[in-house]
Each structure stands twice: as C-alpha cells, then as structure tokens.
Amino acid sequence: MACSSASQATAQAGAPSRRHAPAAAWRRWRGWPWVRRIAIAVFLGVVVVLLANQARAIAWGEVLAAMRAYPWQVLALAAGFAALSHLLYATFDLIGRHYTGHALRTGPVMAITFVSYAFNLNMGTLVGAVGMRARLYARLGLDAPAIARIVGSSMLTNWLGYCLLAGLAFLLWPLAMPEDWHLGRIAQRVLGAALIAVAAAYLLACAFSPRREWRVRGHEIALPSLRVALVQLALSCANWSAMGAAMAVLLQGAVPYPMALGVLLIGAVAGLLSRVPAGLGVLEAVFVALLAPPLTQAGIIAAVLCYRAMYYWLPLGVAALLYLGMEANARRLAVAAPR
C-alpha cells in the first residue's frame, strides 16, 4: 500500500509538470527572449499609434489655454498635495525597516523609497519599485531576502489603503459609468464591498491569526502585528487621499472630491493593467470617459496634464538627481548606517 501510494503521489506530482511542459519548453528555447521583446515592442508600437490617433482629435489650443488660465494659488495648492503624497509614500519603507530589522538610517531609506516610487510611476514596476530598490539597497549592504521583504511590505501597504478607499468610493459614491464598461451602480457597490472585505480580512488576520509565518518559494512571509497593519492602512489611505486632493484641486471644484478620488483610483488601476509607461493616455482617457460631460474635454486634459507634471515628471527629475547622488555616496551611506 505504501509503494502504491508513493507511486500515485509521484504520478500526481508528475502530471502538472507534463501538462506545463510545452510552456516550459518555449521558455527554454533560445529565441524566446527575442520573441518576447518583439511582442512587447509591437504592443507598445500599437499603443503609440492609438495614442497618436487619439491625440489628433484633441483641441490642443483649448487645452493650453485652460492650462495658462490656472491661478497660481490653485497650482501651488495642488503641488503641495502632490508633495505630501510623495512624502507619505517615502515612509512606506520605514515599515519595511521595522519588518526586517535592518540598520539603515531614516534619511537614506526615505530617499530610496522616493526615488523608486518616482521611477515606478514613470517607467513601471520592474524599473522602479523592484529595480531601483534592489540596486540601491544592495549598494547599502542589504541582502536579497531583506530587499524582497521590503518591496513586498511597501507594495502591500500601498494597495491596502487603495482597497479601503476604492471600496468606500464604489460603495458610497458609485460613478455613472459608460454603458460599454458594463459596470453599473450595483456592480460597483458589490465590488466596493469586496475591496473593503479584503482590507478588513488583512487586519483581522494580523490581529487573530494563530499562524504568523509562511514560506513561499523560499521566501519567509510573516504577518505584522495589528498595530503595524493599522499604520500601514493609515499611511496608505493618507497617500491616496492626498493624490485625490491634488486632482480635485486641479479640477477646481467642478466635481465633488469623492468623485475625483474615485476616478483617479480607477485610472490608477487602468494604467497599471495597460502596462503603458506612466499610464500615458490611459489616465486621460478614463477622466474624459467619466467626467465629460459635464466637464469639457479640454479642461479635463489640462487638469490631468498639470497633475502629471506635478506628480510624475517633476518628481522624476528630482529623483534622477537624488539617485546619482546616492550612487556616488553609497559607500559613505553604508558605512554611516548603525550596526
């Protein structure tokens, strides 16, 4: 019986490998990386063509006129909320420091988080959230497992607040969606309740789960305490709320704040799923689809472009300079870290 059971277990274990053998063979083929690169290039090319066609239909003269008409007080207030959001996000890796127990100082940790976030917004997750963090933390002496836990903790913090705020927005302030989106008010409320349940489940697990650690593919995953989870939730909610406030200010009160925040939250996920760098054109399309009318297309695009300048492009320039400085001083920063 033992031999039979072992044979059955071996057969069952071998079945998935045989089932996925063709896919594994494709990945082992020497030409696969080139095929993948060509496919990505073609996809991005198609996206560029679509964006160019969409851009031709925009009355750019009206957009520029709307941008020039912004009062400086509005731009300053929106820039302040954008800066606050980046500052809040820069604290996310401090939670990762608590989680891993590494000894890097607060300044370098927040600088690394800011740099990685700015590059993430403009160039994607692999370059920013993962690549920049991995390089800079490794230069300061952290090992790969610690870096992986920091990245995971930061991403979890970010999307935890998203789940709660998006859930509340969809549940309490459902949007009038275009008909071809097939997402009515009832569906939005169901989705909102599900997102809130996800955030609540995480908090309950942190508070009551008897098991605190797991190993997944060689990586150790540990649940934080409820206190740490609440800090994650508070910081993330504050960050997304500041982003929504910046956008609402640029819309100059034309729509209620919950609506501005809800559209921004939808646009953030749409840009992520599109895999277009910085969600270029996607965020604009979402705002136009959901807010025009009553707002004009030119006014909406002017607001989104100002938001991009404040939240994406200006921080990227600052982050690039900061990155060069950190690269040049990596050895000193690593030595300065308390042991």
Side-chain angles (χ1 to χ4, degrees):
M1 290 292 291
C3 291
S4 176
S5 299
S7 299
Q8 291 174 1
T10 303
Q12 290 172 356
S17 62
R18 288 195 299 271
R19 189 163 57 247
H20 297 295
W26 270 105
R27 287 193 291 269
R28 288 196 299 269
W29 178 48
R30 290 183 179 180
W32 171 247
W34 285 103
V35 172
R36 185 172 179 272
R37 291 185 190 122
I38 291 172
I40 293 173
V42 170
F43 169 75
L44 291 177
V46 171
V47 170
V48 169
V49 171
L50 292 175
L51 290 176
N53 289 333
Q54 187 181 34
R56 290 196 193 100
I58 296 173
W60 289 106
E62 296 179 12
V63 172
L64 293 175
M67 294 175 72
R68 285 195 295 266
Y70 270 111
W72 70 266
Q73 297 95 330
V74 170
L75 296 176
L77 182 57
F81 279 120
L84 175 61
S85 170
H86 277 275
L87 178 63
L88 287 165
Y89 193 97
T91 65
F92 286 8
D93 280 16
L94 295 178
I95 299 172
R97 182 178 67 176
H98 174 81
Y99 180 50
T100 60
H102 70 73
L104 296 179
R105 296 183 187 278
T106 298
V109 170
M110 292 184 67
I112 289 172
T113 317
F114 167 73
V115 168
S116 68
Y117 183 49
F119 277 88
N120 179 32
L121 288 172
N122 290 276
M123 300 181 186
T125 301
L126 291 180
V127 174
V130 178
M132 282 292 178
R133 274 190 177 95
R135 176 168 179 79
L136 291 173
Y137 277 128
R139 294 270 283 164
L140 298 187
L142 296 190
D143 58 17
I147 296 171
R149 289 195 294 272
I150 292 169
V151 172
S153 173
S154 182
M155 289 183 172
L156 175 60
T157 299
N158 182 53
W159 293 108
L160 180 64
Y162 181 96
C163 285
L164 181 59
L165 286 183
L168 290 173
F170 294 153
L171 185 64
L172 301 178
W173 301 283
L175 297 166
M177 299 285 188
E179 291 184 4
D180 56 352
W181 286 26
H182 306 294
L183 192 63
R185 294 181 184 275
I186 295 177
Q188 288 181 63
R189 288 193 168 101
V190 171
L191 176 60
L195 289 172
I196 294 172
V198 170
Y202 176 72
L203 295 178
L204 290 172
C206 291
F208 302 112
S209 176
R211 184 177 179 181
R212 312 300 298 182
E213 297 181 356
W214 293 264
R215 291 192 68 83
V216 179
R217 296 184 178 180
H219 296 288
E220 181 181 307
I221 299 176
L223 280 176
S225 66
L226 177 61
R227 180 180 177 183
V228 171
L230 289 172
V231 171
Q232 288 179 290
L233 184 62
L235 287 175
S236 181
C237 286
N239 173 50
W240 286 103
S241 297
M243 293 168 63
M247 194 69 243
V249 168
L250 290 170
L251 291 171
Q252 301 186 78
V255 298
Y257 171 75
M259 180 179 291
L261 176 61
V263 176
L264 182 68
L265 293 172
I266 293 172
V269 168
L272 180 67
L273 295 177
S274 72
R275 297 193 176 184
V276 177
L280 190 61
V282 179
L283 186 63
E284 289 82 353
V286 169
F287 268 88
V288 169
L290 295 179
L291 298 182
L295 279 66
T296 65
Q297 183 186 59
I300 294 171
I301 294 177
V304 177
L305 288 179
C306 287
Y307 177 80
R308 281 193 180 280
M310 295 172 181
Y311 201 80
Y312 288 69
W313 301 330
L314 181 59
L316 179 63
V318 176
L321 295 175
L322 187 56
Y323 169 73
L324 294 176
M326 295 184 71
E327 284 281 9
N329 296 281
R331 183 173 298 180
R332 181 180 61 80
L333 292 171
V335 171
R339 302 296 178 186

